[in-house]
Amino acid sequence: MTDLDLPAIGYGTSGDEEGDEWTDNVVAALDAGYRFVDTAQMYDNEAEVGAGIAQSDVDRDDIVLATKIEPGNLAPEDVRETAEESLDRLGVDSVEMLYVHWPADAYDAEETLPAFDELREEGLVEHVCLSNFEPDLLDEAREILESPVAAHQVECHPLLPQEELRAYADEHDHHLVAYSPLGRGKILDHPVLSEVAEKHDASTAEVCIAWAVEHGIVPIPKSSGDHVADNLAAAEMDLDEADLEKIDGIEERKRVIDPDMGPWNRE
């Protein structure tokens, strides 16, 4: 059982912004009320995210901070070295969540995962987390890890609802965290989402976030400007059973993040 307590919504930092933009965005998100911030080695913005946390008036102890080890750094000696480098860039002594970003490239379950256990034992990481896994790989990881899997992060939105992985998360008591919960904007013109949005006098983006929260999924949208507060408020939107049935009845499927290394692309 995981003892990781996550807010209903987090702040994602995967995107094209550069340098101080991320620092300003993180400060704005924390000021607006976010308390869960997600970054990664692969995003190349850990230093800027850490600066935003340092500059914010929010106490570090009140923030859940997550980062991820990129696939090329998943050999055990590289896990340790680059995790320590991530902490240095973030300007923190430890992070609440450390993910295997993709089970690819240098990932070897038997070699990689014990290195994550060691980091947790030494207090550099509070919770071991996984990202972009499939059920068989989750089974393998859970057999090897001494640490509980606290969260599994995948692309998830109304056009990629991830029913199997949601059920797996419920069965094994870990959080399902949704990156690209708005489908990178490529799903927001769907007529069903538009219909529900009109009913609630809301945007389709807000409907996507509310849908995730209603299903116990933790979305981590990236946003700036007015969207920072709008997304946070959307987590409080009440969708009724009819709304959820309409959205869950969408038959189209669209995966926005689909690299060759995704385990769903295995032959």
Side-chain angles (χ1 to χ4, degrees):
M1 174 179 287
T2 180
D3 58 356
L4 173 61
D5 185 18
L6 281 184
I9 183 173
Y11 185 71
T13 64
S14 171
D16 298 329
E17 288 85 347
E18 295 182 0
D20 292 343
E21 285 183 90
W22 278 123
T23 299
D24 294 342
N25 287 348
V26 169
V27 171
L30 292 171
D31 286 351
Y34 288 84
R35 294 295 180 265
F36 172 24
V37 178
D38 178 277
T39 184
Q41 293 176 351
M42 193 179 285
Y43 303 164
D44 196 27
N45 64 5
E46 288 173 315
E48 290 77 17
V49 168
I53 290 171
Q55 291 178 24
S56 169
D57 292 331
V58 178
D59 193 290
R60 170 69 184 95
D61 291 341
D62 294 332
I63 300 168
V64 177
L65 178 59
T67 192
K68 312 177 192 73
I69 305 292
E70 67 176 271
N73 294 335
L74 289 172
E77 63 276 10
D78 294 333
V79 169
R80 168 170 293 279
E81 180 179 351
T82 66
E84 291 175 348
E85 291 170 353
S86 287
L87 295 179
D88 287 342
R89 285 190 293 269
L90 288 163
V92 297
D93 295 326
S94 65
V95 289
E96 284 68 35
M97 303 168 70
L98 185 68
Y99 285 90
V100 175
H101 201 158
W102 293 88
D105 200 352
Y107 179 74
D108 180 314
E110 295 279 359
E111 298 290 330
T112 299
L113 296 173
F116 278 72
D117 278 330
E118 289 175 10
L119 291 173
R120 180 170 176 265
E121 288 168 9
E122 294 171 22
L124 300 182
V125 174
E126 286 190 25
H127 300 281
V128 173
C129 306
L130 307 173
S131 185
N132 297 302
F133 279 53
E134 291 283 271
D136 62 322
L137 294 175
L138 289 169
D139 286 341
E140 178 186 49
R142 289 176 52 254
E143 288 178 4
I144 295 168
L145 281 167
E146 294 180 4
S147 307
V149 175
H152 181 213
Q153 184 176 142
V154 291
E155 179 182 345
C156 185
H157 48 70
L159 271 68
L160 191 66
Q162 301 283 22
E163 291 102 331
E164 184 178 16
L165 292 176
R166 283 159 48 196
Y168 192 104
D170 289 342
E171 179 181 354
H172 298 289
D173 194 33
H174 60 247
H175 297 281
L176 193 79
V177 178
Y179 70 77
S180 299
L182 312 181
R184 291 282 176 93
K186 296 180 179 179
I187 66 170
L188 298 182
D189 60 352
H190 193 282
V192 171
L193 299 177
S194 298
E195 180 183 348
V196 174
E198 184 175 355
K199 172 183 170 181
H200 290 272
D201 193 24
S203 69
T204 51
E206 291 166 335
V207 167
C208 288
I209 290 168
W211 169 87
V213 173
E214 289 282 2
H215 281 303
I217 302 158
V218 182
I220 50 169
K222 184 203 82 168
S223 55
S224 59
D226 293 341
H227 296 304
V228 172
D230 292 343
N231 289 344
L232 190 64
E236 303 294 330
M237 183 191 302
D238 289 324
L239 298 180
D240 60 31
E241 286 300 320
D243 298 326
L244 293 174
E245 285 180 11
K246 284 180 183 177
I247 297 169
D248 291 337
I250 294 173
E251 295 183 356
E252 298 98 312
R253 292 291 174 259
K254 186 176 186 67
R255 186 185 291 276
V256 178
I257 308 299
D258 193 17
D260 290 342
M261 66 179 168
W264 50 86
N265 288 322
R266 291 175 295 176
E267 293 184 0

